[in-house]
Amino acid sequence: MIRAGDQLQIDVRLTPGELRAALREDVRTGLCASPKWLPAKWHYDEAGSLLFDQITQLPEYYPTRREREILAARVDEIAQLSQADTLIELGSGTSEKTRLLLSALAAAGRLRRFVPFDVSEAILRDSATAILAEYPGIRVCGIVGDFERHLDALPRDGRRLVAFLGGTIGNLRPRARAQLLAALARSLDSGDQLLLGADLVKPRERLEAAYDDPGGFSARFSLNLLTVLNRELGADFDSAQFRHDAVWDAEHEWMEIGLVSLREQRVTLRELDMAVEFGQGEKLHTEISAKFRREALTAELAAVELAPVRFWTDEAGEYSLSLWSRPQ
């Protein structure tokens, strides 16, 4: 636990050494699999995070704008329904959109604590300091960790609203998603609520444009993963020999994103003492972005015994924000 006065606490559950070990394990497992895969979280070094911020501002990339639209319209209703004095945000990043929730809870006179939860200590510390300056009188209790492993670090006292925004739930494949939702449900006490951002199924053309923009920001973000592997593991990936690939998988109703090898090639990873062969046209799968239908999403939450409170969409019906409770 790192303390900086009574108002700010940072609980580090994931050290740089542990993060590095996790990267090594994922790379060994994923690059030896068939098909090859790597988790999307390894895109997000400083450069990757900056690129993603730029992507969220593109006209083609609708999720961030749509989620903000719903929050702006419904935030007072959310604050009233939740009656929360503690706001927890999973995958908090800069907590930019979350300020709408913080302001509504503060205006209602209930907010006493904010708990940002993120894998990056540097980003979390910067955002926590900014939040303290903007909302004097509250406590900020940041947690550095992986929300698939460290939900036990969440504080259990108070009436809590857990925000899981950005459509991040869609980055998990069905089994991992079910496991995370079950863990989230177990972490909630009677009266606590979950605010979930989830993207909705829509026409293929709209989706593929959002994840493969003509300006090439999505491609640079995708290829940045190879830069991370070169730097952290002494790999010799040539990014010019791979292309970004983002296609709609209609059967599973998700975007399938990755990097396609442009030729047969052999890549070495010095720090892992391993070499990996890529065939021409072979895809390294790096991310999915699942899209949901209301009925299916409701079934997934019901399976972990969370009850629906409200379901909202933006005016165009492209994105959803929903509130769920732990029944008494």
Side-chain angles (χ1 to χ4, degrees):
M1 178 80 73
I2 300 174
R3 297 179 183 271
D6 292 336
Q7 288 182 284
L8 174 63
Q9 298 177 0
I10 306 294
D11 185 359
V12 180
R13 296 297 179 103
L14 186 64
T15 67
E18 290 170 326
L19 195 62
R20 184 175 177 80
L23 171 63
R24 294 166 70 94
E25 181 179 353
D26 282 346
V27 171
R28 281 191 183 279
T29 302
L31 293 188
C32 292
S34 182
K36 297 180 177 67
W37 59 269
L38 287 174
K41 62 186 176 184
W42 301 119
H43 286 93
Y44 292 93
D45 64 348
E46 184 176 353
S49 296
L50 177 60
L51 280 166
F52 184 72
D53 283 345
Q54 293 172 320
I55 288 169
T56 64
Q57 300 172 42
L58 296 174
E60 297 85 2
Y61 193 82
Y62 60 86
T64 303
R65 290 192 304 279
R66 295 297 187 244
E67 187 172 67
R68 172 176 276 279
E69 176 188 331
I70 304 169
L71 277 171
R74 302 296 184 176
V75 68
D76 291 335
E77 184 180 355
I78 293 167
Q80 181 62 35
L81 288 166
S82 72
Q83 297 285 305
D85 57 51
T86 296
L87 175 64
I88 298 169
E89 183 181 15
L90 302 182
S92 54
T94 60
S95 297
E96 191 266 333
K97 284 177 295 188
T98 316
R99 283 165 168 80
L100 293 169
L101 285 168
L102 289 167
S103 295
L105 291 169
R110 286 188 292 271
L111 182 66
R112 65 180 182 88
R113 181 173 55 186
F114 176 50
V115 183
F117 190 119
D118 200 85
V119 72
S120 169
E121 182 177 345
I123 292 174
L124 187 143
R125 186 172 291 281
D126 286 346
S127 64
T129 302
I131 292 292
L132 276 177
E134 293 174 45
Y135 300 89
I138 72 167
R139 294 176 61 212
V140 177
C141 304
I143 299 171
V144 179
D146 182 338
F147 54 68
E148 293 187 78
R149 296 169 50 200
H150 300 117
L151 289 182
D152 61 332
L154 297 179
R156 298 300 294 251
D157 60 309
R159 188 173 178 112
R160 301 171 303 157
L161 173 64
V162 179
F164 193 25
L165 304 176
T168 305
I169 190 66
N171 295 140
L172 301 174
R173 293 182 182 272
R175 182 177 178 181
R177 189 165 70 234
Q179 291 173 338
L180 178 62
L181 289 174
L184 270 173
R186 288 193 300 269
S187 76
L188 300 180
D189 296 324
S190 177
D192 291 339
Q193 293 185 328
L194 169 67
L195 182 65
L196 183 65
D199 200 4
L200 301 176
V201 174
K202 57 185 63 64
R204 175 179 190 146
E205 295 76 13
R206 176 72 160 147
L207 290 163
E208 292 188 349
Y211 291 88
D212 192 7
D213 63 280
F217 287 92
S218 299
R220 290 197 289 278
F221 173 74
S222 193
L223 289 163
N224 183 64
L225 175 63
L226 304 184
T227 302
V228 171
L229 299 181
N230 287 348
R231 181 183 66 240
E232 300 296 330
L233 298 177
D236 59 0
F237 283 96
D238 179 357
S239 61
Q241 299 304 320
F242 290 84
R243 66 170 175 85
H244 171 64
D245 187 67
V247 295
W248 174 241
D249 182 331
E251 178 184 355
H252 295 102
E253 294 192 323
W254 64 48
M255 288 296 299
E256 182 70 60
I257 303 164
L259 295 165
V260 173
S261 177
L262 299 178
R263 60 177 176 83
E264 291 188 2
Q265 54 185 307
R266 179 183 176 89
V267 176
T268 60
L269 297 97
R270 187 178 63 252
E271 291 202 15
L272 297 182
D273 192 26
M274 65 182 289
V276 181
E277 303 286 344
F278 285 86
Q280 183 175 358
E282 184 178 1
K283 186 170 182 176
L284 169 59
H285 298 260
T286 60
E287 183 178 359
I288 68 162
S289 185
K291 309 306 172 186
F292 296 91
R293 299 179 188 273
R294 179 174 179 175
E295 298 78 8
L297 188 63
T298 300
E300 290 194 35
L301 274 293
V304 297
E305 299 182 345
L306 290 180
V309 178
R310 292 287 191 279
F311 189 94
W312 304 280
T313 70
D314 59 284
E315 187 174 343
E318 292 193 319
Y319 192 91
S320 75
L321 202 62
S322 52
L323 194 63
W324 308 84
S325 70
R326 183 74 168 178
Q328 299 189 11

